[in-house]
Coordinates of all heavy atoms in Angstrom, one line a residue:
G841 N -99.4 6.7 -141.2 CA -100.6 5.9 -141.0 C -100.6 4.9 -139.9 O -101.5 4.2 -139.7
W842 N -99.5 4.9 -139.1 CA -99.5 4.0 -137.9 C -100.2 4.5 -136.8 O -100.3 5.7 -136.5 CB -98.0 3.8 -137.5 CG -97.2 3.0 -138.5 CD1 -96.5 3.5 -139.5 CD2 -97.0 1.6 -138.5 NE1 -95.9 2.5 -140.2 CE2 -96.2 1.3 -139.6 CE3 -97.5 0.6 -137.8 CZ2 -95.8 0.1 -140.0 CZ3 -97.1 -0.7 -138.1 CH2 -96.3 -1.0 -139.2
D843 N -100.8 3.7 -136.0 CA -101.5 4.0 -134.8 C -100.6 3.7 -133.6 O -100.5 2.5 -133.2 CB -102.8 3.3 -134.6 CG -103.6 3.6 -133.4 OD1 -103.3 4.7 -132.8 OD2 -104.4 2.8 -132.9
V844 N -99.8 4.7 -133.2 CA -98.8 4.5 -132.2 C -99.4 4.5 -130.8 O -100.1 5.4 -130.4 CB -97.7 5.5 -132.3 CG1 -96.6 5.3 -131.2 CG2 -97.1 5.5 -133.7
Q845 N -99.0 3.5 -130.0 CA -99.4 3.5 -128.6 C -98.2 3.3 -127.7 O -97.3 2.5 -128.1 CB -100.4 2.3 -128.3 CG -101.7 2.4 -129.1 CD -102.6 1.2 -128.8 OE1 -102.4 0.5 -127.8 NE2 -103.6 1.1 -129.6
T846 N -98.1 4.1 -126.7 CA -96.9 4.0 -125.8 C -97.3 3.4 -124.5 O -98.4 3.4 -124.1 CB -96.3 5.4 -125.6 OG1 -97.3 6.2 -124.9 CG2 -95.9 6.1 -126.9
G847 N -96.3 2.8 -123.9 CA -96.4 2.2 -122.6 C -95.2 2.4 -121.7 O -94.1 2.7 -122.3
L848 N -95.4 2.4 -120.5 CA -94.3 2.6 -119.5 C -93.6 1.3 -119.2 O -94.3 0.4 -118.6 CB -94.8 3.3 -118.3 CG -93.7 3.6 -117.2 CD1 -92.7 4.6 -117.7 CD2 -94.4 4.2 -116.0
A849 N -92.4 1.1 -119.6 CA -91.7 -0.1 -119.3 C -91.1 -0.1 -117.9 O -91.2 -1.2 -117.2 CB -90.5 -0.3 -120.3
Y850 N -90.6 1.0 -117.4 CA -90.1 1.1 -116.0 C -90.0 2.5 -115.7 O -90.0 3.4 -116.5 CB -88.8 0.4 -115.9 CG -87.6 1.1 -116.6 CD1 -86.9 2.0 -115.9 CD2 -87.3 0.8 -117.9 CE1 -85.8 2.7 -116.6 CE2 -86.3 1.4 -118.5 CZ -85.5 2.3 -117.9 OH -84.5 3.0 -118.5
R851 N -89.9 2.8 -114.4 CA -89.8 4.2 -113.9 C -88.6 4.1 -112.9 O -88.6 3.3 -112.0 CB -91.0 4.6 -113.2 CG -90.9 6.0 -112.6 CD -92.2 6.6 -112.1 NE -93.0 6.8 -113.2 CZ -94.3 6.6 -113.3 NH1 -94.9 6.1 -112.2 NH2 -95.0 6.8 -114.3
T852 N -87.6 5.0 -113.1 CA -86.5 5.2 -112.2 C -87.0 5.9 -111.0 O -87.6 7.0 -111.1 CB -85.3 5.9 -112.9 OG1 -85.0 5.1 -114.0 CG2 -84.1 6.0 -112.0
V853 N -86.6 5.4 -109.8 CA -87.0 6.1 -108.5 C -85.7 6.3 -107.7 O -84.7 5.5 -107.9 CB -88.0 5.3 -107.7 CG1 -89.3 5.2 -108.5 CG2 -87.5 3.9 -107.4
P854 N -85.6 7.3 -106.9 CA -84.4 7.6 -106.1 C -84.2 6.5 -105.1 O -85.1 5.8 -104.6 CB -84.7 8.9 -105.4 CG -85.9 9.5 -106.1 CD -86.6 8.4 -106.7
Y855 N -82.9 6.3 -104.8 CA -82.5 5.3 -103.8 C -82.7 6.0 -102.4 O -82.4 7.1 -102.2 CB -81.0 4.9 -104.0 CG -80.6 4.0 -102.9 CD1 -80.7 2.6 -103.1 CD2 -80.0 4.4 -101.7 CE1 -80.3 1.7 -102.1 CE2 -79.6 3.5 -100.8 CZ -79.8 2.2 -101.0 OH -79.4 1.3 -100.0
P856 N -83.1 5.3 -101.4 CA -83.7 3.9 -101.4 C -85.2 4.0 -101.9 O -85.9 4.9 -101.5 CB -83.6 3.4 -100.0 CG -83.7 4.7 -99.2 CD -83.0 5.8 -100.0
A857 N -85.6 3.1 -102.7 CA -86.9 3.1 -103.2 C -87.9 2.7 -102.1 O -87.5 2.0 -101.1 CB -87.0 2.1 -104.3
Q858 N -89.1 3.1 -102.2 CA -90.1 2.6 -101.3 C -90.2 1.1 -101.3 O -89.9 0.5 -102.4 CB -91.5 3.2 -101.7 CG -91.5 4.7 -101.6 CD -92.8 5.3 -102.2 OE1 -93.5 4.6 -103.0 NE2 -93.1 6.5 -101.9
A859 N -90.6 0.5 -100.3 CA -90.6 -1.0 -100.2 C -91.3 -1.6 -101.3 O -90.8 -2.6 -101.9 CB -91.2 -1.4 -98.8
G860 N -92.4 -1.1 -101.8 CA -93.1 -1.8 -102.9 C -92.5 -1.6 -104.2 O -92.8 -2.2 -105.2
R861 N -91.4 -0.7 -104.3 CA -90.8 -0.5 -105.6 C -89.4 -1.1 -105.7 O -88.7 -1.0 -106.7 CB -90.7 1.0 -105.9 CG -92.0 1.7 -106.1 CD -91.8 3.2 -106.3 NE -93.0 3.8 -106.6 CZ -93.4 4.2 -107.8 NH1 -92.6 4.0 -108.9 NH2 -94.6 4.8 -108.0
R862 N -88.9 -1.7 -104.6 CA -87.6 -2.3 -104.6 C -87.5 -3.6 -105.4 O -88.4 -4.4 -105.4 CB -87.2 -2.6 -103.2 CG -87.0 -1.3 -102.4 CD -86.5 -1.6 -101.0 NE -86.5 -0.4 -100.2 CZ -86.1 -0.3 -99.0 NH1 -85.8 -1.4 -98.3 NH2 -86.1 0.8 -98.4
L863 N -86.4 -3.8 -106.1 CA -86.1 -5.0 -106.8 C -85.6 -6.1 -105.8 O -85.7 -7.3 -106.0 CB -85.1 -4.8 -107.9 CG -85.5 -3.9 -109.0 CD1 -84.4 -3.7 -110.0 CD2 -86.8 -4.5 -109.7
L864 N -84.9 -5.6 -104.7 CA -84.3 -6.5 -103.7 C -85.1 -6.3 -102.4 O -85.6 -5.2 -102.2 CB -82.9 -6.2 -103.5 CG -81.9 -6.3 -104.7 CD1 -80.6 -5.7 -104.3 CD2 -81.9 -7.7 -105.2
D865 N -85.2 -7.4 -101.6 CA -85.9 -7.2 -100.3 C -85.1 -6.3 -99.4 O -84.0 -6.0 -99.6 CB -86.2 -8.5 -99.7 CG -85.0 -9.3 -99.3 OD1 -83.9 -8.6 -99.0 OD2 -85.0 -10.5 -99.2
G866 N -85.7 -5.8 -98.4 CA -85.1 -4.9 -97.4 C -83.8 -5.4 -96.8 O -83.0 -4.6 -96.4
T867 N -83.6 -6.7 -96.7 CA -82.4 -7.2 -96.1 C -81.2 -7.0 -96.9 O -80.1 -7.0 -96.4 CB -82.6 -8.7 -95.8 OG1 -82.7 -9.4 -97.0 CG2 -83.7 -9.0 -94.9
A868 N -81.4 -6.7 -98.2 CA -80.2 -6.5 -99.1 C -79.5 -5.2 -98.8 O -78.3 -5.1 -99.0 CB -80.7 -6.6 -100.5
D869 N -80.2 -4.2 -98.3 CA -79.6 -2.9 -98.1 C -78.4 -3.0 -97.2 O -77.4 -2.4 -97.5 CB -80.6 -1.9 -97.5 CG -81.6 -1.5 -98.6 OD1 -81.4 -1.9 -99.8 OD2 -82.6 -0.9 -98.2
E870 N -78.5 -3.6 -96.1 CA -77.3 -3.6 -95.2 C -76.9 -5.0 -94.8 O -75.8 -5.2 -94.2 CB -77.7 -2.9 -93.9 CG -78.0 -1.4 -94.1 CD -76.8 -0.6 -94.7 OE1 -75.6 -1.0 -94.5 OE2 -77.0 0.4 -95.4
G871 N -77.7 -6.0 -95.1 CA -77.4 -7.4 -94.6 C -76.5 -8.2 -95.5 O -76.0 -9.2 -95.1
R872 N -76.4 -7.9 -96.8 CA -75.6 -8.7 -97.7 C -74.3 -8.0 -98.1 O -74.3 -6.8 -98.4 CB -76.4 -9.0 -99.0 CG -77.6 -9.9 -98.8 CD -78.4 -10.2 -100.0 NE -77.7 -9.9 -101.2 CZ -78.4 -9.9 -102.4 NH1 -79.6 -10.2 -102.4 NH2 -77.8 -9.6 -103.5
G873 N -73.3 -8.8 -98.2 CA -72.0 -8.2 -98.5 C -71.9 -7.8 -100.0 O -71.0 -6.9 -100.3
D874 N -72.7 -8.3 -100.9 CA -72.6 -7.9 -102.3 C -73.4 -6.6 -102.7 O -73.3 -6.2 -103.8 CB -73.0 -9.1 -103.2 CG -74.5 -9.5 -102.9 OD1 -75.1 -9.1 -101.9 OD2 -75.0 -10.2 -103.8
V875 N -74.1 -6.0 -101.7 CA -74.8 -4.8 -102.0 C -74.1 -3.7 -101.2 O -74.1 -3.7 -99.9 CB -76.3 -4.9 -101.6 CG1 -77.0 -3.6 -101.8 CG2 -77.0 -6.0 -102.4
V876 N -73.5 -2.7 -101.8 CA -72.9 -1.6 -101.2 C -73.8 -0.4 -101.3 O -73.9 0.1 -102.4 CB -71.5 -1.3 -101.7 CG1 -70.9 -0.2 -101.0 CG2 -70.6 -2.6 -101.6
T877 N -74.4 0.0 -100.2 CA -75.3 1.2 -100.3 C -74.4 2.4 -100.2 O -73.3 2.4 -99.8 CB -76.2 1.1 -99.0 OG1 -75.4 1.2 -97.9 CG2 -77.0 -0.2 -99.0
P878 N -75.0 3.6 -100.5 CA -74.3 4.8 -100.4 C -73.7 5.1 -99.0 O -72.6 5.5 -98.8 CB -75.3 5.9 -100.8 CG -76.2 5.2 -101.7 CD -76.3 3.8 -101.2
A879 N -74.5 4.6 -98.0 CA -74.0 4.8 -96.6 C -72.8 4.0 -96.3 O -71.9 4.4 -95.5 CB -75.1 4.4 -95.6
R880 N -72.6 2.9 -97.0 CA -71.4 2.0 -96.8 C -70.3 2.3 -97.7 O -69.2 1.8 -97.5 CB -71.9 0.5 -96.9 CG -72.8 0.1 -95.8 CD -73.3 -1.4 -96.0 NE -72.2 -2.3 -96.3 CZ -72.4 -3.4 -97.0 NH1 -73.5 -3.7 -97.5 NH2 -71.3 -4.2 -97.3
L881 N -70.5 3.1 -98.7 CA -69.5 3.3 -99.8 C -68.3 4.0 -99.2 O -67.1 3.7 -99.6 CB -70.1 4.1 -100.9 CG -69.2 4.2 -102.2 CD1 -68.9 2.8 -102.7 CD2 -69.9 5.0 -103.2
A882 N -68.4 4.9 -98.3 CA -67.3 5.6 -97.7 C -66.3 4.7 -97.0 O -65.2 5.0 -96.8 CB -67.7 6.7 -96.8
A883 N -66.8 3.5 -96.6 CA -66.0 2.6 -95.8 C -65.3 1.5 -96.7 O -64.5 0.7 -96.1 CB -66.8 1.9 -94.7
V884 N -65.5 1.5 -98.0 CA -64.9 0.5 -98.8 C -63.4 0.8 -99.0 O -62.9 1.9 -98.8 CB -65.5 0.4 -100.2 CG1 -67.0 0.0 -100.1 CG2 -65.3 1.7 -101.0
A885 N -62.6 -0.2 -99.3 CA -61.2 -0.1 -99.5 C -60.9 0.9 -100.7 O -61.6 1.0 -101.7 CB -60.6 -1.4 -99.8
A886 N -59.8 1.7 -100.5 CA -59.4 2.6 -101.6 C -59.2 1.8 -102.9 O -58.6 0.7 -102.8 CB -58.1 3.3 -101.2
G887 N -59.6 2.4 -104.0 CA -59.4 1.7 -105.3 C -60.5 0.8 -105.7 O -60.5 0.2 -106.7
T888 N -61.6 0.8 -104.9 CA -62.8 0.0 -105.2 C -63.4 0.6 -106.4 O -63.6 1.8 -106.6 CB -63.8 0.0 -104.0 OG1 -63.2 -0.6 -102.9 CG2 -65.1 -0.7 -104.4
A889 N -63.8 -0.3 -107.4 CA -64.5 0.1 -108.6 C -66.0 0.1 -108.4 O -66.5 -0.9 -107.8 CB -64.1 -0.8 -109.7
V890 N -66.6 1.1 -108.8 CA -68.1 1.2 -108.8 C -68.6 1.4 -110.2 O -68.1 2.3 -110.9 CB -68.6 2.4 -107.9 CG1 -70.1 2.6 -108.1 CG2 -68.2 2.2 -106.5
V891 N -69.5 0.5 -110.6 CA -70.0 0.6 -112.0 C -71.3 1.4 -112.0 O -72.3 1.1 -111.3 CB -70.3 -0.8 -112.6 CG1 -70.8 -0.7 -114.0 CG2 -69.0 -1.6 -112.5
L892 N -71.3 2.5 -112.7 CA -72.5 3.3 -112.9 C -73.2 2.8 -114.1 O -72.7 3.0 -115.2 CB -72.2 4.8 -113.0 CG -71.5 5.4 -111.7 CD1 -71.0 6.8 -112.0 CD2 -72.4 5.3 -110.5
T893 N -74.4 2.2 -113.9 CA -75.1 1.5 -115.0 C -76.1 2.4 -115.8 O -76.6 1.9 -116.8 CB -75.8 0.3 -114.4 OG1 -76.7 0.8 -113.4 CG2 -74.9 -0.7 -113.8
S894 N -76.2 3.6 -115.4 CA -77.1 4.5 -116.1 C -76.9 5.9 -115.7 O -76.2 6.2 -114.7 CB -78.6 4.2 -115.7 OG -78.8 4.4 -114.3
S895 N -77.4 6.9 -116.4 CA -77.3 8.3 -116.1 C -78.0 8.6 -114.7 O -77.5 9.3 -113.9 CB -77.9 9.2 -117.2 OG -77.1 9.1 -118.3
S896 N -79.1 7.9 -114.5 CA -79.8 8.1 -113.2 C -78.9 7.6 -112.0 O -78.9 8.2 -110.9 CB -81.2 7.5 -113.2 OG -81.1 6.1 -113.4
A897 N -78.1 6.5 -112.2 CA -77.2 6.1 -111.2 C -76.1 7.1 -110.9 O -75.8 7.4 -109.8 CB -76.6 4.7 -111.6
A898 N -75.6 7.7 -112.0 CA -74.6 8.8 -111.8 C -75.2 10.0 -111.1 O -74.6 10.5 -110.2 CB -74.1 9.2 -113.2
E899 N -76.4 10.3 -111.4 CA -77.1 11.4 -110.7 C -77.3 11.1 -109.3 O -77.2 12.0 -108.4 CB -78.4 11.8 -111.4 CG -78.3 12.3 -112.8 CD -77.8 13.7 -112.9 OE1 -77.5 14.4 -111.9 OE2 -77.6 14.2 -114.0
E900 N -77.7 9.9 -108.9 CA -77.9 9.5 -107.6 C -76.6 9.5 -106.8 O -76.5 9.8 -105.6 CB -78.6 8.1 -107.5 CG -80.0 8.1 -107.8 CD -80.9 9.0 -106.9 OE1 -80.7 8.9 -105.6 OE2 -81.7 9.7 -107.3
F901 N -75.5 9.1 -107.4 CA -74.2 9.2 -106.8 C -73.8 10.6 -106.4 O -73.4 10.8 -105.3 CB -73.1 8.7 -107.8 CG -71.8 8.5 -107.3 CD1 -71.4 7.2 -106.7 CD2 -70.8 9.5 -107.3 CE1 -70.1 7.0 -106.2 CE2 -69.5 9.3 -106.7 CZ -69.2 8.0 -106.2
V902 N -74.1 11.5 -107.3 CA -73.9 13.0 -107.0 C -74.9 13.4 -105.9 O -74.5 14.1 -104.9 CB -74.0 13.8 -108.2 CG1 -74.0 15.3 -107.9 CG2 -72.9 13.5 -109.2
A903 N -76.1 13.1 -106.0 CA -77.2 13.5 -105.0 C -76.9 13.0 -103.6 O -77.2 13.7 -102.7 CB -78.6 13.1 -105.5
A904 N -76.3 11.8 -103.6 CA -75.9 11.3 -102.2 C -74.7 11.9 -101.6 O -74.3 11.5 -100.5 CB -75.7 9.8 -102.4
G905 N -74.1 12.9 -102.3 CA -72.9 13.6 -101.8 C -71.7 12.7 -101.9 O -70.7 13.0 -101.1
L906 N -71.6 11.8 -102.8 CA -70.5 10.9 -102.9 C -69.4 11.4 -103.8 O -68.3 10.7 -104.0 CB -70.9 9.5 -103.3 CG -71.9 8.9 -102.3 CD1 -72.5 7.6 -102.9 CD2 -71.3 8.6 -101.0
T907 N -69.6 12.5 -104.5 CA -68.6 13.0 -105.5 C -67.2 13.1 -104.9 O -66.2 12.7 -105.6 CB -69.0 14.4 -106.0 OG1 -70.3 14.2 -106.6 CG2 -68.1 14.9 -107.1
P908 N -67.0 13.5 -103.6 CA -65.6 13.6 -103.1 C -64.9 12.3 -103.0 O -63.7 12.2 -103.0 CB -65.8 14.2 -101.7 CG -67.1 15.0 -101.8 CD -68.0 14.2 -102.7
L909 N -65.7 11.2 -103.0 CA -65.0 9.8 -103.0 C -64.5 9.4 -104.3 O -63.6 8.5 -104.4 CB -66.0 8.8 -102.5 CG -66.6 8.9 -101.1 CD1 -67.6 7.9 -100.8 CD2 -65.5 8.9 -100.1
A910 N -65.0 10.0 -105.4 CA -64.6 9.6 -106.7 C -63.2 10.0 -107.0 O -62.8 11.1 -106.7 CB -65.6 10.2 -107.8
G911 N -62.4 9.1 -107.6 CA -61.0 9.3 -107.9 C -60.2 8.1 -107.5 O -60.4 7.0 -107.9
E912 N -59.3 8.4 -106.6 CA -58.4 7.3 -106.1 C -59.2 6.4 -105.1 O -59.0 5.2 -105.1 CB -57.2 7.9 -105.4 CG -56.2 8.5 -106.3 CD -55.7 7.5 -107.4 OE1 -55.4 6.3 -107.0 OE2 -55.8 7.8 -108.6
R913 N -60.1 6.9 -104.3 CA -60.8 6.1 -103.3 C -61.8 5.2 -104.0 O -61.8 4.0 -103.7 CB -61.5 7.1 -102.3 CG -62.3 6.3 -101.3 CD -61.8 6.5 -99.9 NE -62.5 5.7 -99.0 CZ -62.0 4.7 -98.4 NH1 -60.7 4.4 -98.6 NH2 -62.7 4.0 -97.5
V914 N -62.7 5.8 -104.8 CA -63.7 5.0 -105.5 C -63.5 5.3 -107.0 O -63.5 6.4 -107.4 CB -65.1 5.4 -105.1 CG1 -66.1 4.7 -105.9 CG2 -65.3 5.0 -103.6
R915 N -63.2 4.3 -107.8 CA -62.9 4.4 -109.2 C -64.2 4.1 -110.0 O -64.7 3.0 -109.8 CB -61.7 3.6 -109.6 CG -60.5 3.9 -108.7 CD -59.3 3.1 -108.9 NE -58.6 3.8 -110.0 CZ -57.6 3.2 -110.7 NH1 -57.2 2.0 -110.3 NH2 -57.0 3.9 -111.6
L916 N -64.6 5.0 -110.7 CA -65.9 4.9 -111.4 C -65.8 4.4 -112.8 O -64.9 4.8 -113.6 CB -66.7 6.2 -111.4 CG -66.9 6.8 -110.1 CD1 -67.6 8.2 -110.2 CD2 -67.8 5.9 -109.2
V917 N -66.7 3.4 -113.2 CA -66.8 2.9 -114.6 C -68.2 3.2 -115.1 O -69.1 2.9 -114.4 CB -66.5 1.4 -114.6 CG1 -66.7 0.8 -116.0 CG2 -65.1 1.0 -114.0
A918 N -68.3 3.8 -116.2 CA -69.6 4.1 -116.8 C -69.9 3.0 -117.8 O -69.1 2.4 -118.5 CB -69.5 5.4 -117.6
I919 N -71.2 2.6 -117.9 CA -71.7 1.7 -118.9 C -72.4 2.6 -120.0 O -73.4 3.1 -119.8 CB -72.8 0.8 -118.3 CG1 -72.2 -0.1 -117.2 CG2 -73.4 0.0 -119.4 CD1 -71.7 -1.5 -117.7
G920 N -71.7 2.7 -121.1 CA -72.2 3.4 -122.2 C -72.0 4.9 -122.2 O -71.7 5.5 -121.2
A921 N -72.2 5.4 -123.5 CA -71.9 6.9 -123.7 C -72.8 7.8 -122.9 O -72.4 8.8 -122.4 CB -71.9 7.1 -125.2
P922 N -74.2 7.5 -122.8 CA -75.0 8.4 -122.1 C -74.6 8.5 -120.6 O -74.6 9.7 -120.1 CB -76.4 7.8 -122.2 CG -76.4 7.0 -123.5 CD -75.0 6.4 -123.5
T923 N -74.2 7.4 -120.0 CA -73.7 7.5 -118.6 C -72.4 8.3 -118.5 O -72.2 9.1 -117.6 CB -73.6 6.1 -118.0 OG1 -74.8 5.4 -118.2 CG2 -73.2 6.1 -116.6
R924 N -71.5 8.0 -119.5 CA -70.3 8.7 -119.5 C -70.5 10.2 -119.6 O -69.9 11.0 -118.9 CB -69.4 8.2 -120.7 CG -68.1 9.0 -120.8 CD -67.5 8.9 -122.2 NE -68.4 9.5 -123.2 CZ -68.6 9.0 -124.4 NH1 -68.0 7.9 -124.8 NH2 -69.5 9.5 -125.2
D925 N -71.4 10.6 -120.5 CA -71.7 12.0 -120.7 C -72.3 12.7 -119.4 O -71.9 13.8 -119.1 CB -72.7 12.2 -121.9 CG -72.0 11.8 -123.2 OD1 -70.8 11.6 -123.3 OD2 -72.8 11.6 -124.2
T926 N -73.1 12.0 -118.7 CA -73.7 12.5 -117.5 C -72.6 12.6 -116.4 O -72.5 13.6 -115.7 CB -74.8 11.6 -116.9 OG1 -75.8 11.5 -117.9 CG2 -75.3 12.0 -115.6
C927 N -71.7 11.7 -116.4 CA -70.5 11.8 -115.4 C -69.7 13.0 -115.8 O -69.3 13.7 -114.9 CB -69.7 10.5 -115.5 SG -70.5 9.1 -114.8
T928 N -69.4 13.2 -117.0 CA -68.6 14.3 -117.4 C -69.3 15.6 -117.1 O -68.7 16.5 -116.5 CB -68.4 14.3 -119.0 OG1 -67.6 13.1 -119.3 CG2 -67.5 15.5 -119.4
R929 N -70.6 15.7 -117.4 CA -71.4 16.9 -117.0 C -71.4 17.2 -115.5 O -71.4 18.3 -115.1 CB -72.8 16.8 -117.6 CG -73.6 18.0 -117.5 CD -74.9 17.9 -118.2 NE -75.8 16.8 -117.7 CZ -76.0 15.7 -118.3 NH1 -75.4 15.4 -119.4 NH2 -76.8 14.8 -117.7
R930 N -71.4 16.1 -114.7 CA -71.5 16.3 -113.3 C -70.2 16.3 -112.6 O -70.1 16.4 -111.4 CB -72.4 15.1 -112.7 CG -73.8 15.1 -113.3 CD -74.6 16.3 -112.9 NE -75.0 16.1 -111.5 CZ -75.5 16.9 -110.7 NH1 -75.8 18.1 -111.2 NH2 -75.8 16.7 -109.5
G931 N -69.1 16.2 -113.4 CA -67.7 16.4 -112.8 C -67.2 15.1 -112.1 O -66.4 15.2 -111.3
L932 N -67.8 14.0 -112.5 CA -67.3 12.7 -111.9 C -66.1 12.1 -112.7 O -66.3 11.9 -113.9 CB -68.4 11.7 -111.9 CG -69.6 12.0 -111.0 CD1 -70.7 11.0 -111.1 CD2 -69.2 12.1 -109.5
P933 N -65.0 11.9 -112.1 CA -63.9 11.4 -112.9 C -64.1 9.9 -113.1 O -64.4 9.2 -112.2 CB -62.7 11.6 -111.9 CG -63.3 11.6 -110.5 CD -64.7 12.2 -110.7
L934 N -63.9 9.5 -114.3 CA -64.1 8.1 -114.7 C -62.8 7.4 -114.9 O -61.8 7.9 -115.5 CB -64.9 8.0 -116.0 CG -66.4 8.4 -115.9 CD1 -67.0 8.4 -117.3 CD2 -67.1 7.4 -115.0
L935 N -62.8 6.1 -114.5 CA -61.7 5.2 -114.8 C -61.8 4.9 -116.3 O -60.8 4.7 -117.0 CB -61.8 4.0 -114.0 CG -60.7 2.9 -114.1 CD1 -59.3 3.5 -113.7 CD2 -61.0 1.7 -113.2
G936 N -63.0 4.8 -116.8 CA -63.3 4.5 -118.2 C -64.7 4.2 -118.5 O -65.5 4.2 -117.5
T937 N -65.0 4.0 -119.7 CA -66.4 3.6 -120.2 C -66.3 2.2 -120.7 O -65.5 1.9 -121.6 CB -66.9 4.6 -121.2 OG1 -66.9 5.9 -120.7 CG2 -68.3 4.3 -121.6
A938 N -67.1 1.3 -120.2 CA -67.2 0.0 -120.7 C -67.5 -0.1 -122.2 O -68.5 0.6 -122.6 CB -68.2 -0.9 -119.9
P939 N -66.7 -0.8 -123.0 CA -67.0 -0.8 -124.5 C -68.3 -1.6 -124.8 O -68.9 -1.5 -125.8 CB -65.8 -1.5 -125.1 CG -65.2 -2.2 -123.9 CD -65.5 -1.5 -122.7
T940 N -68.7 -2.5 -123.9 CA -69.9 -3.3 -124.0 C -70.6 -3.2 -122.6 O -70.0 -3.2 -121.6 CB -69.7 -4.7 -124.4 OG1 -68.8 -5.3 -123.5 CG2 -69.1 -4.8 -125.8
P941 N -72.0 -3.3 -122.6 CA -72.7 -3.2 -121.4 C -72.8 -4.5 -120.6 O -73.9 -5.0 -120.3 CB -74.1 -2.7 -121.8 CG -74.3 -3.3 -123.2 CD -72.9 -3.3 -123.8
D942 N -71.7 -5.1 -120.3 CA -71.7 -6.4 -119.6 C -70.4 -6.5 -118.8 O -69.6 -5.6 -118.7 CB -71.9 -7.5 -120.6 CG -70.8 -7.5 -121.7 OD1 -69.8 -6.9 -121.6 OD2 -71.1 -8.1 -122.8
A943 N -70.3 -7.7 -118.1 CA -69.1 -7.9 -117.3 C -67.8 -7.9 -118.1 O -66.8 -7.3 -117.6 CB -69.2 -9.3 -116.6
D944 N -67.8 -8.3 -119.3 CA -66.6 -8.3 -120.1 C -66.2 -6.8 -120.4 O -65.0 -6.5 -120.4 CB -66.8 -9.0 -121.5 CG -66.9 -10.5 -121.3 OD1 -66.3 -11.0 -120.3 OD2 -67.5 -11.2 -122.2
G945 N -67.2 -6.0 -120.6 CA -66.9 -4.6 -120.9 C -66.3 -3.9 -119.7 O -65.3 -3.1 -119.8
V946 N -66.8 -4.2 -118.5 CA -66.3 -3.6 -117.2 C -64.9 -4.2 -117.0 O -64.0 -3.4 -116.7 CB -67.2 -4.0 -116.0 CG1 -66.6 -3.5 -114.7 CG2 -68.6 -3.3 -116.2
L947 N -64.7 -5.4 -117.2 CA -63.4 -6.1 -117.1 C -62.4 -5.4 -118.0 O -61.2 -5.2 -117.6 CB -63.5 -7.6 -117.3 CG -62.2 -8.4 -117.0 CD1 -61.7 -8.1 -115.6 CD2 -62.4 -9.8 -117.3
A948 N -62.7 -5.1 -119.2 CA -61.8 -4.4 -120.2 C -61.3 -3.1 -119.6 O -60.1 -2.8 -119.7 CB -62.5 -4.2 -121.5
V949 N -62.2 -2.3 -119.0 CA -61.8 -1.1 -118.4 C -60.9 -1.3 -117.3 O -59.8 -0.6 -117.1 CB -63.1 -0.3 -117.9 CG1 -62.6 1.0 -117.1 CG2 -63.9 0.1 -119.1
L950 N -61.2 -2.3 -116.4 CA -60.3 -2.5 -115.2 C -58.9 -3.0 -115.7 O -57.9 -2.6 -115.1 CB -61.0 -3.6 -114.3 CG -62.3 -3.1 -113.7 CD1 -62.9 -4.2 -112.9 CD2 -62.1 -1.8 -112.8
R951 N -58.9 -3.9 -116.7 CA -57.6 -4.4 -117.2 C -56.8 -3.3 -117.8 O -55.6 -3.2 -117.6 CB -57.8 -5.5 -118.2 CG -58.2 -6.8 -117.6 CD -58.3 -7.9 -118.6 NE -58.5 -9.2 -118.0 CZ -59.1 -10.2 -118.5 NH1 -59.6 -10.1 -119.7 NH2 -59.3 -11.3 -117.8
A952 N -57.4 -2.4 -118.6 CA -56.7 -1.3 -119.2 C -56.1 -0.3 -118.1 O -55.1 0.3 -118.4 CB -57.7 -0.5 -120.1
A953 N -56.8 -0.2 -117.0 CA -56.3 0.7 -116.0 C -55.2 0.1 -115.1 O -54.5 0.8 -114.3 CB -57.5 1.1 -115.1
A954 N -55.1 -1.2 -115.1 CA -54.1 -1.9 -114.3 C -52.7 -1.7 -114.7 O -52.3 -1.4 -115.7 CB -54.4 -3.4 -114.3

């Protein structure tokens, strides 16, 4: 007997998003040290950890042709089981899956691997 109405909370768009859809301004792509774009990922130090925060992030990692970097060069951490499952399906080797979707969960994976 419920009258259900649905609404769109957000829509995932491929990287890089059109200017009007970006969460960060255009200067973040290449101008800030805390944002590592796919273009810059190949130049990071070996052993750098990359946190994949969603299945769509894992899919974009693969679509960007970055799969060969995964392993010793770039160590991947998944946030949650759905992201882990996507990584497994796409052949991405994981350092681990964060037990909680926050910094403490990522840190737990990194500590366990140390």
